[in-house]
Amino acid sequence: MMTSYLRYAHFLCDIHLVICDMDGLLLDTERLSEDSFRQASSLFDLAFDKKLFAALTGQSGPAHMQILATHLPDEVDAVTFDCHWKQIYFDKLSEDVPVKPMAADFLQNIRKAAVPVAVATSSHTDKATNQLTQAGLAPFLDLITGGDQVTQAKPSPEIYQRVMTAFGVDSQHVLVLEDSNNGVRAGLAAGAKTVQIPDRLRPDPAFFASADYHKADSLAAVGRALKVVTC
């Protein structure tokens, strides 16, 4: 176990900025999204399509429409389906914003270490801010950047590059935390050290060839590694 901590510690050495994804990383919203997708599918007499939902995970809203239009049966209107899916999802969120285990403790500890923490999410900035505020995580964040602030969604590195520029930090000193494969692709393309904590999907095996990539089991595991950094 200690060997694992030290390996992460070496990888996480000299970090000046931490950038987190939101859905599936800080908030347990991917589970809600899947439940909502199942309900929407039932409304249209469709069986839950695991592969279709996997293709939608980690994508932006506009990308959702393209994927749905391609994969849904011809008799199902993609716009109507998407509206029902999103309405069910946001109705659930209005009742409760589920937080990932240890998310608050992790962010609080990073802030205590005087390292800036930002969120880079494909969600709209206003919605992300509201959700993170409801979840009690907003006070630990220095910046929240949403997909509406960039022209290209993940896996483009644009959103991560935008956040790095805002803090004036070189990519080699940035830690990106992601759950989805598209998010990891964005972090790596931005030149950041990227740790993936998988949520609903398995990591792309291609990531393991990158020296800038590591997989972790939880935010707690990453937090423990950061505590033992002695570089």
Side-chain angles (χ1 to χ4, degrees):
M1 186 67 72
M2 182 56 67
T3 300
S4 176
Y5 290 171
L6 293 176
R7 185 174 65 250
Y8 277 122
H10 178 73
F11 178 73
L12 299 177
C13 191
D14 202 19
I15 295 299
H16 300 172
L17 171 65
V18 175
I19 311 177
C20 301
D21 180 44
M22 183 179 76
D23 296 300
L25 192 285
L26 296 177
L27 303 182
D28 194 15
T29 45
E30 293 296 354
R31 174 181 54 80
L32 284 186
S33 183
E34 181 176 322
D35 290 344
S36 302
F37 190 86
R38 288 178 182 274
Q39 290 185 37
S41 297
S42 296
L43 291 175
F44 291 86
D45 296 320
L46 298 174
F48 174 67
D49 189 329
K50 184 177 181 179
K51 290 184 178 180
L52 174 55
F53 184 76
L56 294 163
T57 301
Q59 299 280 5
S60 64
H64 282 178
M65 291 304 305
Q66 296 177 10
I67 295 169
L68 288 171
T70 301
H71 291 88
L72 287 174
D74 293 339
E75 64 271 18
V76 177
D77 179 68
V79 173
T80 304
F81 182 96
D82 188 65
C83 286
H84 279 83
W85 174 25
K86 300 298 169 52
Q87 187 61 56
I88 295 169
Y89 173 73
F90 286 116
D91 285 346
K92 290 178 180 291
L93 276 182
S94 68
E95 299 173 1
D96 177 53
V97 178
V99 182
K100 281 286 189 176
M102 299 300 295
D105 288 343
F106 175 81
L107 293 177
Q108 190 171 16
N109 288 333
I110 299 299
R111 287 297 300 273
K112 286 180 179 178
V115 176
V117 186
V119 160
T121 174
S122 296
S123 298
H124 193 284
T125 304
D126 289 344
K127 290 180 180 178
T129 301
N130 289 338
Q131 290 174 27
L132 289 164
T133 300
Q134 283 183 260
L137 301 181
F140 307 124
L141 301 169
D142 296 285
L143 180 68
I144 299 171
T145 300
D148 56 302
Q149 297 190 41
V150 295
T151 58
Q152 298 183 71
K154 301 173 187 178
S156 165
E158 183 182 353
I159 193 166
Y160 284 118
Q161 292 168 336
R162 181 183 179 90
V163 175
M164 292 176 198
T165 299
F167 286 90
V169 178
D170 292 335
S171 61
Q172 62 184 331
H173 299 301
V174 176
L175 172 64
V176 163
L177 297 175
E178 274 282 358
D179 66 292
S180 73
N181 289 334
N182 269 340
V184 171
R185 293 183 185 104
L188 292 175
K193 294 179 179 179
T194 305
V195 172
Q196 183 175 23
I197 305 172
D199 184 33
R200 315 300 288 179
L201 302 176
R202 293 180 179 179
D204 185 336
F207 296 149
F208 293 93
S210 173
D212 288 330
Y213 172 85
H214 268 268
K215 174 181 170 293
D217 294 329
S218 65
L219 283 171
V222 179
R224 289 192 298 268
L226 285 169
K227 285 183 180 180
V228 299
V229 171
T230 56
C231 48

